[in-house]
Amino acid sequence: MKAEHRNVASISWQRELAEAISDPKELLKVLGLPAELADAAEKAAQTFGLRVTRSFLSRMRRGDINDPLLRQVLPLGEELQDAVGYGADPLEEHAARKAPQLLQKYAGRALLVTTQACAIHCRYCFRREFPYAEDAAQGGRWREALSAIAEDASIEEVILSGGDPLSLSDSRLRQLTDSLAAIPHVKRIRIHTRQPIVLPSRVDAGLLAWLDGIRLPLVMVLHANHANEIDADVRAACAALKSRGLTLVNQSVLLRGVNDDVDSLQQLSCALFEAGVLPYYLHMPDRVRGTAHFDVEESRARELVSGLMARVSGYLVPRLVREIPGSPAKTPIPATIHHNHPNPSPHG
């Protein structure tokens, strides 16, 4: 039985953010889970706080500690255990810093860290320890970052990331995208956001009006890891975004206990496609401190993607990748192909 569904369409996104749960005891109580789990959750939350919207909570199964959505947000004692090879900055983003709040890892693209705020705190987040406050203090509301972009004619695409850029008000988003559109060599804007998934009320009239006013081509990269994340409110939000001509793609993280089986990956790809979103990337987890319990062996990941390829059309199979610091692009991981049939179908 899932937690009680709430009609988020009648609630402003600002109000829902204000009502987000940050107390492990409250989360456990709402889901009918044992209160004795709170002690470990509270200790882990001291390092990286709990935050989950009630919309996302409403899609979780009551009484199920292994619910795949709950597992993404509930702090666990395992987060406090040290693991070899896990650190604060697994992608070495400090080395990619071009200006305060601006990272450039790959040619032709730059990533603007717009805010530290998110609607939910994903426990596997690779920016759990990112120095947001330090960069924000130096950046002066993106002034230096925008100057760096304007001075580098090789940057054709700007990625708005965070945190979650849709945590910003519509007026601040408009200010930012107007500034980017005024730079002649910027040809595209890409928005990385989880909010249409975890806070679908964010896709309101104000947000759509902002999108209508952007003069550059837009790609929105969503982030869903399990089919249960995609309900009627999410589908409605995606439909509204698609109606504005956005290209919608999804990136997932392969997480132990969440989606590390072929059935879950197949259901996710199909649910995304039905919502008008194409699967794009399936990331191996980044090795940030406190997340080792989510890790999936690469050999297992390759087999999972092979199993998915055997079940669905090619456009429903996300690319399995790992991000390696210093590489010129994300590193693809080929599937483990098992030739069980002498005459495989030519249709992909």
Side-chain angles (χ1 to χ4, degrees):
M1 179 180 178
K2 291 187 178 181
E4 181 182 357
H5 180 73
R6 305 169 79 248
N7 182 11
V8 297
S10 64
I11 303 174
S12 73
W13 68 273
Q14 296 96 333
R15 177 182 166 189
E16 190 176 0
L17 272 183
E19 293 179 350
I21 291 177
S22 57
D23 182 352
K25 289 181 179 177
E26 182 181 3
L27 177 62
L28 295 171
K29 181 178 179 181
V30 171
L31 291 173
L33 292 168
E36 54 265 28
L37 297 171
D39 184 55
E42 288 176 332
K43 289 178 181 176
Q46 290 175 8
T47 301
F48 181 52
L50 165 69
R51 184 177 178 85
V52 58
T53 61
R54 295 177 188 270
S55 170
F56 196 68
L57 174 66
S58 73
R59 302 167 225 168
M60 298 177 191
R61 296 187 292 261
R62 285 184 57 85
D64 184 359
I65 190 61
N66 294 314
D67 178 84
L69 277 59
L70 174 64
R71 185 165 171 80
Q72 296 179 54
V73 299
L74 178 65
L76 298 174
E78 288 94 325
E79 297 180 30
L80 303 176
Q81 299 174 3
D82 290 332
V84 176
Y86 287 75
D89 184 15
L91 304 183
E92 298 181 6
E93 291 193 320
H94 65 281
R97 189 172 179 270
K98 190 177 178 72
Q101 299 170 274
L102 187 69
L103 307 176
Q104 187 169 23
K105 302 179 185 180
Y106 308 130
R109 292 151 282 174
L111 184 148
L112 185 58
V113 179
T114 58
T115 176
Q116 72 178 69
C118 285
I120 72 170
H121 288 173
C122 302
R123 307 313 300 177
Y124 51 88
C125 178
F126 67 92
R127 292 198 180 122
R128 288 168 59 123
E129 299 185 41
F130 188 86
Y132 290 104
E134 175 186 330
D135 255 18
Q138 298 179 40
R141 192 179 284 193
W142 317 308
R143 182 182 63 252
E144 291 184 53
L146 290 169
S147 294
I149 294 169
E151 292 168 2
D152 188 345
S154 72
I155 297 175
E156 295 189 345
E157 181 175 15
V158 176
I159 302 164
L160 305 185
S161 185
D164 194 309
L166 298 192
S167 299
L168 298 170
S169 67
D170 298 333
S171 61
R172 290 197 68 186
L173 287 168
R174 186 174 295 108
Q175 175 193 10
L176 177 55
T177 51
D178 285 351
S179 297
L180 290 172
I183 300 174
H185 54 264
V186 173
K187 307 299 183 185
R188 296 176 302 280
I189 294 176
R190 193 191 329 168
I191 303 166
H192 283 205
T193 178
R194 190 139 158 76
Q195 290 211 3
I197 304 295
V198 303
L199 187 71
S201 59
R202 180 64 183 98
V203 183
D204 59 7
L207 183 88
L208 296 174
W210 162 63
L211 292 172
D212 286 340
I214 299 176
R215 302 189 299 276
L216 295 172
L218 291 173
V219 177
M220 186 170 283
V221 182
L222 304 181
H223 177 189
N225 297 313
H226 195 277
N228 291 357
E229 298 178 40
I230 302 171
D231 65 358
D233 291 326
V234 172
R235 288 190 290 272
C238 291
L241 294 169
K242 291 280 286 186
S243 74
R244 265 51 188 187
L246 272 70
T247 298
L248 295 182
V249 298
N250 184 73
Q251 58 181 0
S252 305
V253 181
L254 185 61
L255 302 166
R256 188 196 307 172
V258 174
N259 56 11
D260 58 333
D261 62 273
V262 177
D263 287 343
S264 292
L265 294 174
Q266 179 181 5
Q267 291 162 12
L268 174 60
S269 285
C270 292
L272 286 167
F273 187 75
E274 290 170 4
V277 184
L278 276 178
Y280 176 39
Y281 278 142
L282 177 62
H283 286 266
M284 296 296 295
D286 296 312
R287 292 178 175 171
V288 65
R289 183 163 43 213
T291 67
H293 56 290
F294 284 117
D295 193 38
V296 177
E297 291 288 337
E298 185 173 302
S299 58
R300 172 64 176 158
R302 290 160 58 102
E303 290 177 354
L304 289 172
V305 174
S306 176
L308 183 62
M309 291 171 63
R311 293 191 183 185
V312 300
S313 298
Y315 57 84
L316 293 178
V317 181
R319 284 177 284 175
L320 179 65
V321 295
R322 184 187 292 281
E323 190 160 354
I324 299 175
S327 295
K330 290 182 172 62
T331 301
I333 300 173
T336 300
I337 303 298
H338 300 287
H339 297 288
N340 295 323
H341 304 286
N343 296 303
S345 170
H347 305 294

